[in-house]
Amino acid sequence: MTTQETVLHPAAIIEELKKNEFTHVVWLPDSETNFMYQLLTNEPSLDLVPVCREGETMAIAAGLWVGGKKPVVLIQNTGIFESGDSIRGLGLDVNQPLVMLVGYRGWSRHGITPDSAARFIEHILHAWGISYYLIETDDDAGRITSALEEAERTSKPVAVLVGTEFGA
Amino acid sequence: MIGNTDAVRLLDSKREDSVLVATMNANNVGFGLPSITTKEPLDFPISGAMGKASSVGLGLALAQPNRKIMVLDGDGSLLMNLGTLVTLSNKAPKNMYHFLFDNGVYAVTGGQPVPGAGKVDWEDMAKGAGYAAVFSFDNLEDLTTGIDQVLATQGPVFIHLAITPEVENTPVAFRPRASRSVQTAFRELPVALSSD
Ligand SMILES: Cc1ncc(C[n+]2csc(CCOP(=O)(O)OP(=O)(O)O)c2C)c(N)n1
Ligand SMILES: [Mg+2]
């Protein structure tokens, strides 16, 4: 594998979002998606909706979806912990086909995971019956498409864990 | 103070093709929107995620810029999601009308006072957050006279309403259920909004 393939570039994610014709990115920044901001603000086909707290994202996405748009949520795993009642009440209970890109803070791949944000996140998703995909390199970006297909097929929120901080 | 039903009835009478995103007492089955609505297909009842009616309304306002979105919010609910004032004013949808039903209490759960009842200045809050315009009404006559001007003002507009608390003490399991649930709205609204 070349170094190129082992790095995740924000452009790879944005390309995938464009390919799937997402219209809005509802988000609160995290270090995993650090370099994405500039690219997102320069991308005319994606409208950025910044929030103050992550629990807003699923609710805003719900309104966008009902209004005929195609939103994607972009937050950190800590934000998933913060958003429990929104995911339950305005995601799962109403069958919202929502893709949530989630920064996997603390994911180490080594079996030693000191950060509880990483230790708990998959268990929480399992508890809710939310499927998830993992993205670590540019080659994995296509999993966003798989997640969207699953979200639409099952009418449920699906998570995509972003397991690397982006390269610049 | 303004009666809960009177306020909802007046807003419903001015709705035209607006979507009404209503929660808590404004959405009460017996004396809120479900009991008086004249355009149920464009009602968006929000239950099941306390505090998020204005967030759903924001998404809807961004998706449907040519249609007014009227959010009928509760004070306890807004306190639970205060950041929404800033999120909303930052995106500044011109078609957003955010009505706050300030009854000073958590009416649905038995009328316990909300934190800061009588102390918080909601007009200042909304102004400080950056809403394009802010109104406040504490009686039905003024609201009836002023509502046309409110709805002619470019959004996002915040409208503070001093509402008489109406507390329900019937155990939740015994309260009547709305015929139109949030799930129904989720199924039917996308079709209603795309077809008219
Ligand atoms: C996250 C969460 N916490 C607590 C509750 C319980 N609860 C249901 S309704 C309600 C009161 C709502 O108060 P307000 O928004 O002021 O509306 P009102 O009942 O006064 O019309 C509360 C606390 C809940 N449903 N969800
Ligand atoms: Mg109240």
Side-chain angles (χ1 to χ4, degrees), chain B residues 7-187:
Chain B
V8 176
R9 185 177 286 120
L10 182 66
L11 301 183
D12 176 77
S13 75
K14 298 288 177 185
R15 63 188 297 170
E16 299 176 353
D17 70 346
S18 312
V19 177
L20 263 58
V21 184
T23 194
M24 302 301 172
N25 262 7
N27 188 45
N28 184 285
V29 182
F31 56 84
L33 186 62
S35 69
I36 54 103
T37 181
T38 56
K39 237 182 207 171
E40 192 176 57
L42 293 183
D43 289 348
F44 200 161
I46 301 294
S47 58
M50 180 171 164
K52 306 302 186 334
S54 59
S55 307
V56 175
L58 169 60
L60 209 47
L62 295 173
Q64 299 263 319
N66 298 320
R67 185 192 296 275
K68 284 195 168 78
I69 308 300
M70 292 159 73
V71 173
L72 282 50
D73 212 349
D75 51 351
S77 297
L78 183 51
L79 286 169
M80 192 174 278
N81 186 18
L82 260 187
T84 190
L85 292 175
V86 175
T87 302
L88 208 151
S89 85
N90 178 57
K91 285 308 276 186
K94 295 185 172 74
N95 53 335
M96 163 61 73
Y97 298 81
H98 188 179
F99 293 87
L100 179 65
F101 282 57
D102 171 15
N103 57 10
V105 296
Y106 296 115
V108 170
T109 51
Q112 309 86 347
V114 301
K119 201 169 170 181
V120 168
D121 187 325
W122 282 109
E123 282 178 85
D124 277 0
M125 291 274 240
K127 272 182 204 147
Y131 275 63
V134 177
F135 295 86
S136 180
F137 297 97
D138 64 4
N139 66 78
L140 184 61
E141 295 67 38
D142 289 351
L143 178 60
T144 308
T145 324
I147 188 68
D148 288 338
Q149 190 203 335
V150 167
L151 294 174
T153 305
Q154 184 169 296
V157 180
F158 185 87
I159 310 95
H160 170 254
L161 303 176
I163 298 285
T164 313
E166 281 183 64
V167 175
E168 273 204 288
N169 286 311
T170 316
V172 172
F174 296 103
R175 293 183 200 176
R177 295 207 160 265
S179 60
R180 184 176 172 84
S181 64
V182 62
Q183 284 83 5
T184 321
F186 244 80
R187 272 197 311 274

Side-chain angles (χ1 to χ4, degrees), chain A residues 117-147:
Chain A
R119 282 205 311 276
F120 293 134
I121 187 64
E122 296 191 42
H123 296 286
I124 292 283
L125 293 172
H126 284 303
W128 274 327
I130 293 180
S131 336
Y132 55 88
Y133 297 78
L134 178 65
I135 286 183
E136 295 182 290
T137 73
D138 289 352
D139 289 344
D140 302 335
R143 290 173 195 168
I144 293 174
T145 303
S146 308

